[in-house]
Amino acid sequence: MTTKKKSITIIAFIACLIAIALWAVYHSHEKNEGDRQLDNALAERFDEIMDDAFPLIENYAVAMNERADSIEALAKRAKEDIRNAYRESFSTLWQQYANSDKATNYYVLIEEYEFFKLSPIIEMLVNSGSKREKEADAIKKLTLAGELLKEPYRIEYDSLMNASKQVHEVVTDCMQTMEPYRNNKSNIRAWRDLMIPKH
């Protein structure tokens, strides 16, 4: 192979490498720009949904805090009951609490949140891209925390007290994270309107 042909081959090879590098840079820029646009759109959607969903999330957090407080108090009383076994005593106390007006009011909130958990609306909130990752995680943790105290009469004292403490911590963290979304709305069912198609 002559020197001239070698030079042409090398130049062609270098030109191909430059073209590939330029394509990679352009493609990477386009992908990053697409990712940024998607993140912005998901963040905007999150903010719009939270405008209607915040009253339910806030009230659910309050209900979980109150439930944790009540469970702690009942568990301590049951533990001090020297006449009956802990589980038996706690079950009796829990039944009395569950039939109270206070518990019934919180039960309504908890049931509404159970419905919310099964809706596509919560999926949109927890899948909101990197710009709302902290907020999405707070909602996920709050939702999981509610499961910890679902059947307190089945849990032993120490585990129940730990679960209660965990719920308090999650609720506090969640509401601090969600504070910027606080608004004057109070309708805990307002989020349901988001499922109605707009014409």
Side-chain angles (χ1 to χ4, degrees):
M1 190 180 278
T2 65
T3 306
K4 189 175 180 183
K5 285 185 179 176
K6 281 184 184 174
S7 297
I8 290 171
T9 304
I10 291 170
I11 290 170
F13 180 70
I14 291 170
C16 285
L17 287 178
I18 291 170
I20 290 169
L22 287 173
W23 176 85
V25 168
Y26 175 77
H27 182 71
S28 174
H29 175 73
E30 286 293 308
K31 184 181 181 305
N32 289 341
E33 185 57 34
D35 288 348
R36 265 195 298 277
Q37 287 177 359
L38 178 62
D39 262 350
N40 287 338
L42 290 173
E44 189 177 321
R45 182 183 74 178
F46 181 94
D47 295 346
E48 288 171 2
I49 291 172
M50 278 303 293
D51 191 48
D52 288 325
F54 183 81
L56 175 61
I57 291 169
E58 179 183 38
N59 281 286
Y60 180 72
V62 168
M64 284 297 97
N65 241 354
E66 166 13 63
R67 189 177 177 100
D69 285 342
S70 297
I71 284 170
E72 283 176 19
L74 295 176
K76 285 174 183 171
R77 278 180 57 197
K79 187 81 170 163
E80 292 165 2
D81 186 349
I82 53 173
R83 290 172 299 166
N84 301 296
Y86 168 76
R87 280 252 179 118
E88 182 186 337
S89 180
F90 184 87
S91 293
T92 302
L93 292 169
W94 179 254
Q95 194 62 44
Q96 292 168 358
Y97 169 77
N99 291 327
S100 69
D101 290 340
K102 183 180 182 183
T104 303
N105 291 336
Y106 284 121
Y107 183 73
V108 170
L109 284 166
I110 292 166
E111 281 300 299
E112 184 67 21
Y113 200 84
E114 288 295 315
F115 181 40
F116 177 66
K117 274 170 35 178
L118 301 174
S119 76
I121 303 303
I122 197 166
E123 287 298 317
M124 292 181 209
L125 288 174
V126 298
N127 296 306
S128 292
S130 61
K131 284 194 166 185
R132 296 294 181 270
E133 191 171 359
K134 186 179 176 186
E135 292 86 349
D137 283 346
I139 292 170
K140 286 180 203 171
K141 287 176 183 172
L142 179 66
T143 303
L144 290 172
E147 297 298 310
L148 293 174
L149 301 178
K150 223 167 191 179
E151 296 180 320
Y153 45 84
R154 294 183 184 273
I155 307 172
E156 289 302 329
Y157 178 80
D158 290 337
S159 298
L160 190 57
M161 296 305 272
N162 286 336
S164 178
K165 181 183 175 191
Q166 195 176 337
V167 167
H168 282 305
E169 288 170 0
V170 167
V171 166
T172 300
D173 291 346
C174 179
M175 293 322 296
Q176 284 174 351
T177 302
M178 293 300 167
E179 186 60 32
Y181 295 95
R182 183 174 299 286
N183 57 45
N184 294 325
K185 295 182 179 178
S186 58
N187 181 3
I188 64 167
R189 293 181 180 86
W191 68 272
R192 294 184 185 198
D193 293 340
L194 299 169
M195 294 193 294
I196 301 168
K198 293 176 182 173
H199 299 288

